[in-house]
Short mmCIF file of all heavy atoms in Angstrom, two decimals:
data_model
loop_
_atom_site.label_atom_id
_atom_site.label_comp_id
_atom_site.label_asym_id
_atom_site.label_seq_id
_atom_site.Cartn_x
_atom_site.Cartn_y
_atom_site.Cartn_z
N CYS A 229 -1.09 -10.43 -0.82
CA CYS A 229 -0.09 -10.55 0.23
C CYS A 229 -0.80 -10.93 1.53
O CYS A 229 -1.53 -10.13 2.11
CB CYS A 229 0.65 -9.22 0.40
SG CYS A 229 1.86 -9.28 1.75
N GLU A 230 -0.60 -12.16 1.97
CA GLU A 230 -1.22 -12.65 3.20
C GLU A 230 -0.67 -11.91 4.43
O GLU A 230 -1.33 -11.84 5.46
CB GLU A 230 -0.98 -14.15 3.37
CG GLU A 230 -1.64 -14.99 2.30
CD GLU A 230 -3.12 -15.23 2.58
OE1 GLU A 230 -3.61 -14.87 3.65
OE2 GLU A 230 -3.79 -15.80 1.69
N ARG A 231 0.51 -11.34 4.29
CA ARG A 231 1.10 -10.59 5.40
C ARG A 231 0.28 -9.34 5.72
O ARG A 231 0.29 -8.85 6.84
CB ARG A 231 2.54 -10.23 5.05
CG ARG A 231 3.30 -9.72 6.23
CD ARG A 231 4.77 -9.76 5.98
NE ARG A 231 5.37 -10.40 7.14
CZ ARG A 231 6.60 -10.79 7.24
NH1 ARG A 231 7.39 -10.67 6.22
NH2 ARG A 231 7.04 -11.34 8.33
N SER A 232 -0.46 -8.85 4.75
CA SER A 232 -1.29 -7.66 4.95
C SER A 232 -2.38 -7.89 5.99
O SER A 232 -2.89 -6.94 6.58
CB SER A 232 -1.93 -7.22 3.63
OG SER A 232 -2.87 -8.19 3.19
N LYS A 233 -2.72 -9.14 6.25
CA LYS A 233 -3.74 -9.46 7.25
C LYS A 233 -3.27 -9.19 8.68
O LYS A 233 -4.09 -8.97 9.56
CB LYS A 233 -4.16 -10.93 7.14
CG LYS A 233 -4.89 -11.24 5.85
CD LYS A 233 -5.23 -12.72 5.79
CE LYS A 233 -5.96 -13.06 4.51
NZ LYS A 233 -6.28 -14.50 4.44
N VAL A 234 -1.96 -9.23 8.89
CA VAL A 234 -1.41 -9.05 10.24
C VAL A 234 -0.51 -7.82 10.37
O VAL A 234 -0.11 -7.47 11.47
CB VAL A 234 -0.64 -10.30 10.71
CG1 VAL A 234 -1.57 -11.49 10.84
CG2 VAL A 234 0.50 -10.63 9.76
N ASP A 235 -0.18 -7.19 9.25
CA ASP A 235 0.72 -6.04 9.29
C ASP A 235 0.24 -4.98 8.29
O ASP A 235 0.31 -5.19 7.08
CB ASP A 235 2.14 -6.50 8.95
CG ASP A 235 3.18 -5.43 9.19
OD1 ASP A 235 2.85 -4.22 9.14
OD2 ASP A 235 4.35 -5.80 9.43
N PRO A 236 -0.27 -3.86 8.77
CA PRO A 236 -0.84 -2.84 7.89
C PRO A 236 0.18 -2.15 6.96
O PRO A 236 -0.21 -1.43 6.06
CB PRO A 236 -1.45 -1.83 8.86
CG PRO A 236 -0.71 -2.02 10.14
CD PRO A 236 -0.34 -3.48 10.18
N ARG A 237 1.46 -2.41 7.15
CA ARG A 237 2.47 -1.82 6.26
C ARG A 237 2.41 -2.43 4.86
O ARG A 237 2.94 -1.84 3.91
CB ARG A 237 3.88 -2.02 6.81
CG ARG A 237 4.15 -1.29 8.11
CD ARG A 237 5.55 -1.59 8.61
NE ARG A 237 5.69 -3.04 8.83
CZ ARG A 237 6.84 -3.69 8.83
NH1 ARG A 237 7.97 -3.05 8.62
NH2 ARG A 237 6.88 -4.98 9.06
N PHE A 238 1.78 -3.58 4.72
CA PHE A 238 1.75 -4.28 3.44
C PHE A 238 0.40 -4.16 2.77
O PHE A 238 -0.64 -4.32 3.41
CB PHE A 238 2.13 -5.76 3.64
CG PHE A 238 3.51 -5.91 4.20
CD1 PHE A 238 3.71 -6.05 5.57
CD2 PHE A 238 4.61 -5.85 3.38
CE1 PHE A 238 4.98 -6.14 6.11
CE2 PHE A 238 5.90 -5.94 3.90
CZ PHE A 238 6.08 -6.09 5.26
N ARG A 239 0.44 -3.87 1.47
CA ARG A 239 -0.80 -3.75 0.70
C ARG A 239 -1.35 -5.13 0.40
O ARG A 239 -0.60 -6.06 0.11
CB ARG A 239 -0.51 -3.02 -0.61
CG ARG A 239 -0.11 -1.57 -0.39
CD ARG A 239 0.17 -0.86 -1.67
NE ARG A 239 -1.03 -0.86 -2.51
CZ ARG A 239 -1.02 -0.61 -3.81
NH1 ARG A 239 0.10 -0.36 -4.42
NH2 ARG A 239 -2.13 -0.63 -4.49
N LYS A 240 -2.67 -5.26 0.44
CA LYS A 240 -3.30 -6.55 0.18
C LYS A 240 -2.98 -7.03 -1.23
O LYS A 240 -2.66 -8.19 -1.44
CB LYS A 240 -4.81 -6.44 0.37
CG LYS A 240 -5.53 -7.76 0.25
CD LYS A 240 -7.00 -7.61 0.62
CE LYS A 240 -7.70 -8.96 0.56
NZ LYS A 240 -9.09 -8.86 0.99
N TYR A 241 -3.07 -6.13 -2.21
CA TYR A 241 -2.75 -6.46 -3.60
C TYR A 241 -1.69 -5.47 -4.08
O TYR A 241 -2.01 -4.40 -4.59
CB TYR A 241 -4.00 -6.38 -4.48
CG TYR A 241 -5.03 -7.42 -4.12
CD1 TYR A 241 -6.16 -7.07 -3.38
CD2 TYR A 241 -4.86 -8.75 -4.48
CE1 TYR A 241 -7.10 -8.02 -3.03
CE2 TYR A 241 -5.80 -9.71 -4.12
CZ TYR A 241 -6.91 -9.34 -3.40
OH TYR A 241 -7.84 -10.28 -3.05
N PRO A 242 -0.40 -5.80 -3.92
CA PRO A 242 0.67 -4.88 -4.31
C PRO A 242 0.76 -4.71 -5.83
O PRO A 242 0.36 -5.61 -6.58
CB PRO A 242 1.93 -5.54 -3.77
CG PRO A 242 1.59 -6.98 -3.66
CD PRO A 242 0.11 -7.06 -3.37
N SER A 243 1.26 -3.57 -6.24
CA SER A 243 1.50 -3.33 -7.66
C SER A 243 2.65 -4.23 -8.10
O SER A 243 3.67 -4.32 -7.42
CB SER A 243 1.89 -1.87 -7.90
OG SER A 243 0.83 -1.02 -7.51
N LEU A 244 2.47 -4.87 -9.23
CA LEU A 244 3.47 -5.80 -9.74
C LEU A 244 4.26 -5.16 -10.87
O LEU A 244 3.72 -4.34 -11.60
CB LEU A 244 2.78 -7.08 -10.23
CG LEU A 244 1.96 -7.81 -9.17
CD1 LEU A 244 1.26 -9.01 -9.81
CD2 LEU A 244 2.79 -8.25 -7.99
#
Side-chain angles (χ1 to χ4, degrees):
C229 178
E230 295 280 352
R231 192 163 229 169
S232 67
K233 293 178 180 179
V234 296
D235 190 333
R237 295 178 300 156
F238 299 95
R239 294 180 60 197
K240 185 173 183 177
Y241 295 102
S243 298
L244 302 177

